[in-house]
Amino acid sequence: MKFLHAADLHLDTPFVGISNFSKDLQKKLQESTYKATENLFETALKEKVDFVILAGDIFDDTDSSLKAQMFLKEQFEKLNQANIKVYLVYGNHDYYRNNFAVVDFPENVVVFGQDVTTIEQTAKDGQRVGITGFSYYQQHINQNIVSNYPARGDFDYQIGILHAGVGDDNYAPFQIQDLLKKGYDYWALGHIHKREILCDSPVIVYPGDIQGRNQNETSPKGFYIVEETDHNTKMKFVKSSIYTWEKAELTAKKDDTVDSLITKITDLLSTPGSLITLTINNAQNLNDDVVKTIERNEVMQHFISVATQGILYKIYLKFTDNPQLAKIDQKYWDQAKSNVLDLDKIKDMDSKLYSEPIIREHINDPEFMKNIKELTRNMINQKYTGE
């Protein structure tokens, strides 16, 4: 028995922050989720899987475009012709609604509703497989929906599909122990964009998204081909992403010029399809003219206009603490950090703004405060360099 497990396709991802790129590159980035999805279904056909599991957030928005729906319908029809079933749940981005789709999917596609349901399929090798799941019916679900999943049924192999986060109060929170109690053989998770195996036996796994959507979603993205033989589950990761976000660093030297930095950056852009976020450390070593050239985006513009294998996405200048100030100001910096950079105070600054889902999602990201503190410290270091 063989199946494909993918999640978080996010068709129609807008890819913000790419306005500086050429129109051609912007279009290619915006089409990358479609290309990655094509890679997914082509692999399903090539591997002759019994079925495909899509564990939520297939579309980037609940108001999915007709283009995305028609594209998906065409892909599903190819699987239908090969007698491959699709088991699909909707997540927090594309949560389930009555009359959700403008188009009807082929008969091989099973869309789970808002109630936890179990479907049975007989695989090519004769195994009876139980597949249990549910679709989101609103953007946020704060109940532990896993408690509604039935205990293992009378199946040769049972799979749970779950779009959720471990202990994440907004997205069907669960603990790993909750899943283990059900006695299933495989938990096909979605929602977290980082590929991660939470447990080997039974298998509990996030495949991650199939195409990185921003600079924080680094490393190649893809999905799993899962094969079960003689009560042994084996997984194979398959890359689907068209572009790979990467982070790189350079250390500035006192004799660095714009020319020398361009040469160093060019060397970093040697991997086709890489989107590089570059941090230049010890930026206080650069003279003012070089810093101004970078801050005016002139270096970025240079790399937009020349052909390289990789793509330079952003440049960050990181200024190291001034050693003369570090000891004196550490006490006051620590006080300010705790008093001013307080998450609750930031939330209270504008309750209307915080009520917007996209703002709330960013603010509640564990990395948010860390990034704010780093940016603040960097600005202070830059301002007082040499004083």
Side-chain angles (χ1 to χ4, degrees), residues 171-281:
Y171 305 106
F174 71 94
Q175 298 298 327
I176 294 175
Q177 190 62 34
D178 299 334
L179 308 187
L180 297 177
K181 289 177 182 177
K182 300 298 177 180
Y184 294 7
D185 299 284
Y186 188 98
W187 281 94
L189 304 182
H191 179 59
I192 302 301
H193 292 183
K194 180 182 179 181
R195 187 167 75 252
E196 186 175 8
I197 298 174
L198 301 183
C199 184
D200 292 311
S201 182
V203 177
I204 304 174
V205 59
Y206 285 108
D209 48 354
I210 65 168
Q211 168 60 59
R213 301 164 69 232
N214 57 59
Q215 63 182 326
N216 294 319
E217 296 186 358
T218 55
S219 76
K221 300 290 186 174
F223 52 88
Y224 283 105
I225 294 292
V226 185
E227 192 165 5
E228 195 277 343
T229 52
D230 299 326
H231 305 289
N232 185 25
T233 299
K234 294 183 178 179
M235 299 189 303
K236 178 176 70 174
F237 175 75
V238 181
K239 177 180 176 291
S240 60
S241 51
I242 311 304
Y243 295 96
T244 301
W245 299 87
E246 297 179 7
K247 294 185 178 181
E249 296 185 359
L250 288 176
T251 299
K253 298 180 179 178
K254 292 188 180 296
D255 60 350
D256 267 323
T257 63
V258 171
D259 280 342
S260 69
L261 288 176
I262 286 175
T263 299
K264 292 177 182 179
I265 295 170
T266 302
D267 291 340
L268 294 173
L269 302 176
S270 58
T271 304
S274 60
L275 290 161
I276 304 293
T277 299
L278 174 64
T279 298
I280 300 179
N281 295 312

Side-chain angles (χ1 to χ4, degrees), residues 7-124:
D8 299 278
L9 280 58
H10 285 279
L11 290 172
D12 283 338
T13 291
F15 286 97
V16 297
I18 61 171
S19 58
N20 283 337
F21 292 163
S22 68
K23 296 296 182 184
D24 180 60
L25 180 53
Q26 288 184 51
K27 183 178 180 181
K28 287 179 178 178
L29 278 169
Q30 288 160 353
E31 291 291 323
S32 63
T33 52
Y34 286 85
K35 293 290 186 183
T37 302
E38 285 181 350
N39 290 342
L40 184 161
F41 291 124
E42 286 173 3
T43 302
L45 291 167
K46 179 181 177 182
E47 293 278 348
K48 298 180 181 178
V49 300
D50 290 282
F51 53 88
V52 170
I53 289 175
L54 301 177
D57 284 358
I58 287 80
F59 303 107
D60 193 59
D61 194 280
T62 190
D63 292 318
S64 55
S65 68
L66 179 59
K67 172 188 174 182
Q69 292 185 53
M70 290 301 295
F71 165 79
L72 211 53
K73 180 177 181 178
E74 291 169 3
Q75 298 298 315
F76 288 160
E77 186 56 49
K78 292 178 183 177
L79 298 185
N80 193 25
Q81 295 301 315
N83 196 31
I84 296 173
K85 297 276 277 187
V86 177
Y87 296 96
L88 179 157
V89 306
Y90 290 121
N92 56 293
H93 272 257
D94 55 359
Y95 55 90
Y96 181 84
R97 297 175 299 167
N98 291 329
N99 302 318
F100 170 83
V102 176
V103 301
D104 293 324
F105 291 143
E107 60 183 9
N108 64 319
V109 180
V110 175
V111 179
F112 287 84
Q114 71 179 59
D115 296 322
V116 175
T117 307
T118 300
I119 308 293
E120 180 179 335
Q121 175 172 337
T122 301
K124 297 185 186 79

Side-chain angles (χ1 to χ4, degrees), residues 127-138:
Q127 289 197 73
R128 292 173 55 247
V129 183
I131 303 172
T132 305
F134 83 101
S135 286
Y136 276 52
Y137 50 90
Q138 59 192 37

